[in-house]
């Protein structure tokens, strides 16, 4: 949600920023803009609503000369989607220019104060207020001090990158609170961005800022100031992701690439160290699992496995956790978040003040890693498609490793490959259901979180209404929606859930449903209109992994057949940094 990229060095800032903006697209946005310092006292700003490719070409972003600049992809929160509200935003004189992610909660008061001092605003955004605030403070002090003073006056969440046309040096000013911002350190050049993949082409060395940090970048280096104004040192990290990993590599979409990639990354995920997490779980009476969306489905699976091992455990939707739970010192908080930046999850973690915390995440240096006592990394490589696919499987893998150990899971890569081989069949099935308006996913027991996830994936990239239920729940209301030809996707592996689920399949069939089963049972196959086969004789503990792959492919192919770009479904963002 919103993306920022900044550059200072000897390279062509407009080129590097435009390239970075393209890499930030997956976060979700509606407008795009760039600002480059073209010489002392001169700034060139170009922006509009629309997509990066279209706007950057139409406004000739890369034709701007200069070595210092910043760019932004906006996801509207305050003010309509229009050119005026697109970032970057300037102060009255056009000297201060900045981009901001997040929400400034006291912006209305600040705006009124500044207006009373004569400031004129060109947009309806909360972000523009910050540029005017810096301008106001810079009347009495040097720019660095004015920037720091202005940041102290803000309430809310922000990642801010700013620069001054008439600054004495070429510098970028940065600040973060509850919104990600990372410094990228190159040779004779410095970058900053909302996430690492936007900078991978230029460096592998990164310095994630901490909450409340302020930083100043020049081509020669950076200075970080902590919340209390003192100079601070922050951990430098090196990532081994390469640019290739964050590119499509010949696939038509990231989503398909990432589904296919699972067969490789699963081994990296299984190599992740879960021992520290297990020790913490063991030492607590109760485990509260906090997550959102896809990660919540992995959380439900974890809660089932913990309950099964005799632990008191519950999975909570992160945004609701503060309204429901009363964590105390005996409670362990376990947060699952692919991005490590989901505001709802971070908020729920902060709510559990005094509790020990575990984070399961894919992103090194993400905010969640700074809040947790113990971090389990997914090692799944960057996930660019908005729909989480390989990271869900990776979440399941690290969770299963805690309970079953790595050896029991060594067949996983081969199993995923076997399920990926059903791709052609699944594409043909997608043709049969692409024109439907509703779909239902049913399962029982441990297969239920997979049905939830299959249904979420399906609805988010196909725009077909879809719901998932434990099979036993159908008769308590939903059966009234099962009519002639409605697709019912039944997750029916030959485990202890099958006899009862078979009954639910028959109930749906009797009402004319189109049954698509994923099964290794011949009777279920006979009862189904169409089936995807699970490998015969497979280890039952691996069923969830075998079930999720065809569901991801089904969502993908149906999406493409409906003319949708599955990498960027409407209204959704990869990293949901507002509550
Ligand atoms: C769905 C999807 C979302 C995310 C959710 C949480 O495909 O990706 O539901 O799972 O926004 O994101 P993270 O895991 O980054 O906290």
């Amino acid at each position: 949600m919103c993306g920022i990229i900044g550059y200072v060095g000897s390279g062509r800032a407009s080129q590097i920023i435009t390239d970075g903006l393209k890499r930030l697209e997956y976060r979700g946005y509606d407008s795009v803009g760039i600002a480059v310092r073209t010489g002392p006292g001169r700034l060139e700003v170009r922006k509009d609503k629309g997509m990066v490719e279209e706007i950057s070409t139409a406004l000739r972003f890369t034709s701007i000369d200069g070595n210092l600049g910043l760019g932004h992809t906006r996801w509207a929160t305050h003010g309509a989607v229009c050119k005026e509200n697109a970032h970057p935003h300037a102060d009255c004189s056009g000297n201060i220019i900045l981009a901001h992610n997040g929400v400034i909660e006291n912006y209305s008061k600040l705006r009124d104060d500044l207006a009373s001092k004569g400031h004129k605003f060109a947009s309806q955004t909360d972000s523009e207020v910050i540029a005017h605030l810096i301008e106001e403070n810079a009347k009495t002090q040097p720019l660095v001090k004015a920037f720091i003073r202005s940041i102290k006056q803000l309430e809310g969440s922000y990642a801010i990158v700013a620069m001054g046309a008439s600054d004495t040096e070429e510098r970028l000013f940065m600040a973060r609170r509850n919104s990600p911002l990372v410094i990228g350190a190159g040779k004779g050049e410095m970058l900053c961005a909302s996430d690492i993949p936007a900078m991978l082409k230029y460096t592998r060395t990164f310095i994630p800022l901490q909450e409340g940090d302020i930083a100043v970048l020049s081509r020669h280096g950076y200075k970080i100031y902590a919340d209390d104004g003192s100079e601070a040192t922050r951990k430098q990290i090196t990532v081994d992701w390469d640019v290739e990993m964050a590119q499509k590599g010949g696939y038509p979409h990231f989503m398909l690439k990432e589904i296919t990639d699972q067969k490789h990354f699963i081994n990296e995920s299984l190599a992740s160290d879960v021992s520290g997490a297990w020790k913490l779980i063991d030492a607590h009476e109760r485990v509260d699992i906090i997550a959102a969306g896809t990660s919540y489905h992995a959380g439900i699976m974890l809660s089932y496995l913990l309950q099964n091992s005799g632990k008191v455990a519950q999975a909570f939707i992160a945004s609701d956790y503060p309204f429901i739970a009363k964590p105390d010192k005996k409670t362990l908080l376990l947060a699952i978040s692919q991005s490590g930046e989901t505001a709802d999850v971070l908020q729920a973690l902060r709510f559990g003040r005094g509790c020990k915390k575990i984070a399961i995440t894919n992103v090194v240096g993400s905010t969640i890693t700074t809040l947790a006592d113990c971090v389990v990394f997914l090692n799944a490589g960057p996930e660019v498609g908005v729909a989480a696919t390989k990271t869900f499987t990776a979440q399941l893998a690290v969770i299963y490793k805690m309970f079953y150990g790595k050896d029991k899971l060594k067949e996983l890569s081969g199993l995923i490959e076997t399920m990926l081989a059903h791709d052609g069949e699944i594409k043909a099935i997608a043709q049969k259901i692409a024109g439907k308006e509703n779909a239902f996913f049913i399962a029982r027991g441990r297969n239920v979180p997979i049905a939830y996830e299959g249904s979420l994936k399906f609805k988010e990239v196909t725009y077909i209404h879809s719901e998932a239920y434990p099979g036993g729940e159908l008769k308590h209301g939903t059966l009234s929606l099962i009519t002639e030809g409605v697709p019912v996707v039944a997750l029916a592996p030959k485990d202890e859930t099958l006899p009862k689920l078979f009954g639910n399949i028959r109930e749906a069939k009797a009402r004319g449903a189109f049954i698509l089963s994923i099964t290794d049972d011949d009777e279920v196959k006979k009862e189904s209109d169409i089936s995807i086969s699970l490998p015969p004789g497979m280890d039952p503990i691996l069923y969830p992994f075998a079930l999720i792959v065809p569901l991801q492919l089904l969502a993908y192919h149906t999406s493409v057949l409906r003319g949708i770009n599955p990498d960027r479904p409407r209204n959704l963002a990869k990293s949901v940094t507002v509550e």
Side-chain angles (χ1 to χ4, degrees):
M1 240 170 198
C2 294
I4 299 186
I5 169 115
Y7 175 83
V8 56
S10 51
R12 191 173 180 80
S14 60
Q15 188 69 55
I16 293 160
I17 290 164
T18 307
D19 179 65
L21 288 170
K22 287 182 186 155
R23 294 176 203 282
L24 289 166
E25 278 193 290
Y26 76 98
R27 298 170 66 85
Y29 70 104
D30 46 55
S31 322
V32 58
I34 189 171
V36 175
R37 184 164 125 147
T38 52
R42 282 184 286 128
L43 281 173
E44 176 79 28
V45 183
R46 298 182 190 174
K47 60 183 186 176
D48 211 340
K49 65 175 182 184
M51 300 291 101
V52 175
E53 189 63 51
E54 169 202 349
I55 304 300
S56 64
T57 309
L59 302 181
R60 301 177 55 245
F61 278 12
T62 54
S63 68
I64 316 174
D65 270 334
N67 306 120
L68 167 71
L70 55 93
H72 189 259
T73 51
R74 172 179 190 241
W75 169 284
T77 54
H78 289 70
V81 177
C82 60
K83 181 177 174 179
E84 292 67 37
N85 290 339
H87 299 218
H89 288 290
D91 60 356
C92 296
S93 62
N95 177 38
I96 305 293
I97 191 102
L98 60 77
H100 160 234
N101 294 346
V103 176
I104 303 301
E105 285 161 11
N106 59 338
Y107 96 100
S108 173
K109 185 180 174 311
L110 291 171
R111 192 179 164 116
D112 290 349
D113 285 355
L114 289 161
S116 71
K117 290 177 182 142
H119 288 262
K120 298 267 179 294
F121 296 89
S123 77
Q124 290 99 48
T125 62
D126 53 343
S127 311
E128 189 192 348
V129 169
I130 310 166
H132 292 271
L133 191 59
I134 301 170
E135 179 182 35
E136 187 60 33
N137 286 319
K139 285 178 183 164
T140 52
Q141 53 204 315
L143 198 48
V144 180
K145 284 196 171 151
F147 183 75
I148 295 175
R149 162 103 191 96
S150 306
I151 298 303
K152 300 272 172 227
Q153 288 172 264
L154 303 178
E155 288 166 20
S157 60
Y158 50 79
I160 297 167
V161 179
M163 59 188 184
S166 43
D167 191 7
T168 46
E169 292 172 58
E170 288 190 326
R171 293 185 292 187
L172 286 170
F173 301 89
M174 308 164 58
R176 81 156 280 183
R177 185 174 297 282
N178 294 340
S179 196
L181 201 52
V182 183
I183 297 174
K187 286 201 182 74
E189 58 185 7
M190 300 294 293
L191 296 103
C192 59
S194 307
D195 63 28
I196 288 173
M199 300 181 276
L200 274 179
K201 201 166 158 187
Y202 308 97
T203 181
R204 300 276 179 83
T205 306
F206 301 99
I207 305 99
L209 293 186
Q210 291 184 11
E211 298 303 353
D213 278 357
I214 291 175
V216 182
L217 303 192
S218 73
R219 69 176 67 184
H220 308 296
Y222 61 90
K223 267 195 181 143
I224 299 177
Y225 304 91
D227 216 1
D228 61 4
S230 63
E231 223 175 284
T233 359
R234 298 289 176 238
K235 209 169 134 202
Q236 192 161 301
I237 56 171
T238 309
V239 304
D240 52 10
W241 298 354
D242 59 27
V243 187
E244 191 54 33
M245 283 181 181
Q247 285 177 343
K248 279 190 216 154
Y251 288 89
H253 298 102
F254 279 110
M255 184 173 177
L256 184 59
K257 174 178 187 268
E258 286 159 4
I259 294 171
T260 311
D261 271 354
Q262 302 184 97
K263 63 179 180 220
H264 307 300
F265 280 112
I266 201 76
N267 290 326
E268 305 293 322
S269 304
L270 288 174
S272 190
D273 181 7
V274 296
S275 57
W278 190 248
K279 265 187 215 139
L280 272 177
I281 291 173
D282 226 19
H284 284 79
E285 268 180 24
R286 184 179 128 187
V287 185
D288 284 1
I289 301 156
I290 303 157
T294 290
S295 299
Y296 172 67
H297 300 146
I300 300 176
M301 182 68 91
L302 174 57
S303 71
Y304 287 0
L305 293 171
L306 283 167
Q307 288 159 13
N308 204 258
S309 70
K311 209 86 208 165
V312 179
Q314 191 178 344
F316 292 86
I317 300 266
S319 54
D320 256 7
Y321 185 70
F323 303 115
I324 301 170
K326 284 212 184 315
D328 59 22
K329 289 230 164 92
K330 293 179 191 151
T331 312
L332 174 69
L333 262 55
L334 192 155
I336 308 177
S337 173
Q338 180 284 128
S339 61
E341 301 292 353
T342 300
D344 291 334
V345 177
L346 301 179
Q347 224 22 53
L349 267 186
R350 291 186 184 110
F351 174 75
R353 205 166 291 135
C355 299
K356 288 275 184 211
K357 300 174 179 92
I358 298 177
I360 300 182
T361 187
N362 195 37
V363 181
V364 179
S366 57
T367 306
I368 208 169
T369 61
T370 63
L371 299 178
D373 301 284
C374 165
V375 182
V376 176
F377 285 107
L378 298 177
N379 301 338
E383 187 173 67
V384 179
V386 162
T389 51
K390 63 174 176 177
T391 54
F392 176 69
T393 311
Q395 287 166 347
L396 291 186
V398 298
I399 288 168
Y400 267 63
K401 187 179 172 189
M402 287 187 212
F403 294 87
Y404 296 103
K406 197 172 159 192
D407 267 7
K408 264 287 213 188
L409 304 169
K410 62 178 187 291
E411 308 299 332
L412 266 186
S413 171
L415 175 65
I416 291 169
E417 189 148 22
T418 306
M419 295 315 293
L420 286 170
H422 289 280
D423 187 54
E425 247 172 87
I426 296 168
K427 201 169 173 180
I429 296 171
Q431 259 150 3
K432 290 187 198 296
I433 59 174
K436 304 283 183 185
E437 287 177 5
N438 299 293
F440 295 88
F441 289 68
I442 57 169
R444 281 185 179 241
R446 263 186 215 182
N447 306 319
V448 170
I450 308 300
Y452 289 153
E453 175 56 12
S455 168
L456 175 66
K457 216 80 318 176
F458 191 75
K459 76 177 90 167
E460 75 170 313
V461 300
T462 68
Y463 311 160
I464 296 173
H465 164 247
S466 144
E467 295 176 31
Y469 290 98
E473 271 296 286
L474 274 191
K475 58 186 178 297
H476 298 291
T478 310
L479 213 46
S480 66
L481 298 175
I482 309 287
T483 52
E484 198 60 39
V486 170
V488 171
V489 182
L491 310 193
K494 240 195 230 172
D495 60 13
E496 70 287 0
T497 67
L498 188 61
K500 296 261 194 242
L501 190 81
F502 207 167
N504 306 133
I505 294 173
R506 288 205 187 96
E507 279 165 3
K509 178 86 182 161
R511 271 108 192 141
F514 174 84
I515 306 288
L516 161 59
S517 61
I518 308 177
T519 189
D520 45 1
D521 183 84
D522 291 338
E523 291 306 308
V524 174
K525 284 183 188 167
K526 278 188 216 145
E527 195 70 17
S528 308
D529 291 281
I530 200 151
S531 290
I532 298 163
S533 291
L534 293 167
M538 64 171 282
D539 182 347
I541 70 155
L542 302 184
Y543 277 136
F545 295 90
L547 291 167
I548 191 58
V549 176
L551 295 180
Q552 293 168 340
L553 287 172
L554 183 68
Y556 170 74
H557 286 302
T558 311
S559 173
V560 174
L561 283 169
R562 285 168 67 87
I564 295 164
N565 176 356
D567 286 344
R568 265 185 265 143
R570 67 183 176 209
N571 304 337
L572 298 177
K574 182 74 186 161
S575 186
V576 186
T577 49
V578 293
E579 280 174 71

